[in-house]
Amino acid sequence: MFLSFLSGKAKLTPLFIMALLTLSVRANEMPAAEKSSSDTEPSSIIVENASGTIAIEIPQAEPQSNDDTAGSAGMSTVANEITTELATETTYPASTVQALRDQVIEQLPQAESVDLGKPMAVESPAPASITDSKKAPQSPATETEQAAEVTVVESVAQVSEEDGRAFVLLGKEVPPATSTRLMWQPSQGFAGLYSPTPVLVVNGKHKGPTLCLTAAVHGDELNGIEMVRQIMYTLDIEKLNGTVVGVPIVNLQGFHRGTRYLTDRRDLNRYFPGNTSGSSADRIAHSFFHEVILHCDAVVDLHTGSFYRTNLPQLRADLTNPQVVELTKGFGSTVVLHGEGSKGTLRYAAVQAGIPAVTLEAGGPMMLDKDAVDHGVKAIRTLLNKLGMLKQFSLWGDPEPVYYTSVWERAEQGGILFSNVKLGSRVNKGQVLGVVTDPITNVSTQIRSQHRGRILGLALNQVVQPGFAAYHVGIQAPKEDVSEPSPVIDHKALTNSQEAAEPARPFSVEPQGGETPLDASAEALLPGDGDSLPSNDAGIADPVEH
């Protein structure tokens, strides 16, 4: 089936391209003597695109040993289901697959190189007339567009192949020393109703890992959007080692409506890695996770508090994972709170797929907190320096402690809440954190801390109901509970190395049996599902990604 598919004609679509880029090699599962004449490799592959017909030559390599296929294991970052079908139909030597990969990349459309530091010019569309709606012939490229294409080609020619690497994302090739804007759009939805989501890519002049920054997975969380803007628009491609991918607004639907949820009132951060046959949230999560996240070596997901709560700048991280521990050490003087993460969150799904990921919480929703933004920007720049992606000098204060457990102190009665403590305050057991007063009876109740710790998050002064989670208190971790750090791996660098023989990241991390994380139950649709705080008998709770 696979041979007939290749020997025929196929459109050079992103689906076909990504399948070729991610073929798994199993050249020696069948001895050479047992192969029939029908297994003879074609001499070339004929594909068609808008530019015409392209012939991709296949080198006729001798049968390889098992060791020769090791270098291709790092190429198993698959993008869609067709890869599995293609990879299991036949076998090819590693040299053949590498040659195919190189030749297909050469045929990919190159992303336009833009200066992200300059504001993007936006022109108002002219009013459409009746005659404008008729199909008109396309005009040839303008001199400005032609000059831009020449600039891209010249900039690529100035970078040696061994210095930088082309980065392929969303069906586009981003050459070394290039910054660009790409667009991601889920394949589901009403045509014309949803705008594509901008994805900023800065591919440095030199080799290095790929770091992904995501913000506004909840559409009402604004601080992360500004953090991504400040980071992405100030990167120097000449000095950058590796690639930084920034998605300022993942949940564009929620952002337009000023809410944390998608249009179907589901929380997108409860559905990763998604499911192609699930709910709308499932499908959006699957598209973003497989088309963007799986192409990265590390992920920083930016969030704020939810529902009139605010957070001290802090990292949420699984401190039992050595690679995640190493990632947390790059954020400078930032509080770290241990938690495996809830199933369905982007952080949890990424770690399950073998990609170290943390959540950076800072500030509250529906507002821009300059101090929180400044801290986040400084922390991410420090991380880039720690990963060897940028060389810069940054001064921090004393290292912040690690909090291995945390508790929420709740209001015992309803009324008007006024706090006695601030974010970051260190509190003792029995200390009064705030007072709730019933406006009708004038009866006041104190909220006291049950532990010695630090205020990592708190509710803004407001009217609260009984049981309302008002103060998030972190409890410092014993050092022996934290795993030894392990370096973050540049998976692109393993493509042609012997280390690629290690088990690759799994193709799919969907729940077994097609189950959907937190599917469309009544509980998942409640406005406060982001405030779900599962705890044990002692009230100790894993922090929930807001």
Side-chain angles (χ1 to χ4, degrees), residues 27 38 85 90 95 133 212 303 320 325 396 430 511 543:
S38 62
E85 178 184 355
T90 188
S95 59
S133 63
C212 183
H303 284 263
T320 64
V325 172
W396 281 90

Coordinates of all heavy atoms in Angstrom, one line a residue, residues 27 38 85 90 95 133 212 303 320 325 396 430 511 543:
A27 N 14.2 -1.4 9.4 CA 14.8 -1.9 8.2 C 15.2 -3.4 8.3 O 15.3 -4.1 7.3 CB 16.1 -1.2 7.8
S38 N 8.5 -7.6 -4.9 CA 7.5 -6.5 -4.7 C 8.0 -5.5 -3.6 O 7.5 -4.4 -3.5 CB 6.2 -7.1 -4.2 OG 6.3 -7.7 -3.0
E85 N 0.1 4.6 10.0 CA -0.2 3.8 8.8 C 1.0 3.6 7.9 O 1.4 2.6 7.5 CB -1.4 4.3 8.1 CG -1.7 3.5 6.9 CD -2.9 4.1 6.1 OE1 -3.4 5.1 6.5 OE2 -3.2 3.6 5.0
T90 N 5.8 -0.6 5.3 CA 7.0 -1.1 4.7 C 8.2 -0.7 5.5 O 8.1 0.0 6.5 CB 7.2 -0.7 3.3 OG1 8.3 -1.3 2.6 CG2 7.4 0.8 3.2
S95 N 19.4 5.7 5.9 CA 19.9 6.6 5.0 C 18.8 7.1 4.0 O 18.8 8.3 3.6 CB 21.1 6.0 4.2 OG 20.7 4.8 3.5
S133 N -17.1 40.8 -5.2 CA -17.3 39.4 -4.8 C -17.1 38.4 -5.9 O -17.0 37.2 -5.6 CB -18.8 39.3 -4.3 OG -19.7 39.6 -5.4
C212 N 9.0 26.4 24.3 CA 7.7 26.9 23.9 C 7.1 27.6 25.1 O 7.1 27.2 26.2 CB 6.8 25.7 23.5 SG 5.2 26.2 23.0
H303 N 0.1 31.3 33.4 CA -1.3 31.4 34.0 C -1.3 32.5 35.1 O -0.3 33.1 35.5 CB -1.7 30.1 34.6 CG -2.1 29.1 33.6 ND1 -3.4 28.8 33.2 CD2 -1.3 28.2 32.9 CE1 -3.4 27.9 32.3 NE2 -2.2 27.5 32.1
T320 N 9.2 15.3 41.3 CA 9.7 13.9 41.3 C 10.2 13.6 39.9 O 10.8 12.5 39.7 CB 8.5 12.9 41.6 OG1 7.5 13.0 40.5 CG2 7.9 13.2 42.9
V325 N 12.7 19.1 37.4 CA 13.5 19.8 38.5 C 14.6 20.6 37.9 O 14.8 21.8 38.4 CB 14.1 18.7 39.5 CG1 15.1 19.4 40.4 CG2 13.0 18.0 40.2
W396 N 19.7 38.2 40.8 CA 18.5 37.9 41.5 C 18.9 38.0 43.0 O 20.0 38.0 43.4 CB 18.1 36.4 41.2 CG 17.3 36.3 40.0 CD1 17.8 36.0 38.7 CD2 15.9 36.4 39.8 NE1 16.8 36.0 37.8 CE2 15.6 36.2 38.4 CE3 14.8 36.7 40.6 CZ2 14.3 36.2 37.9 CZ3 13.5 36.7 40.1 CH2 13.3 36.5 38.7
G430 N -2.0 29.5 63.5 CA -2.9 30.3 64.3 C -3.0 31.8 64.0 O -3.9 32.5 64.5
P511 N -6.0 9.2 26.4 CA -6.5 8.2 27.4 C -6.8 6.9 26.7 O -7.4 6.9 25.6 CB -7.7 8.9 28.0 CG -7.5 10.3 27.7 CD -6.8 10.4 26.4
P543 N -1.8 21.7 44.0 CA -2.2 22.9 43.4 C -2.9 22.7 42.1 O -2.4 21.9 41.3 CB -0.9 23.7 43.3 CG 0.2 22.7 43.2 CD -0.3 21.6 44.1

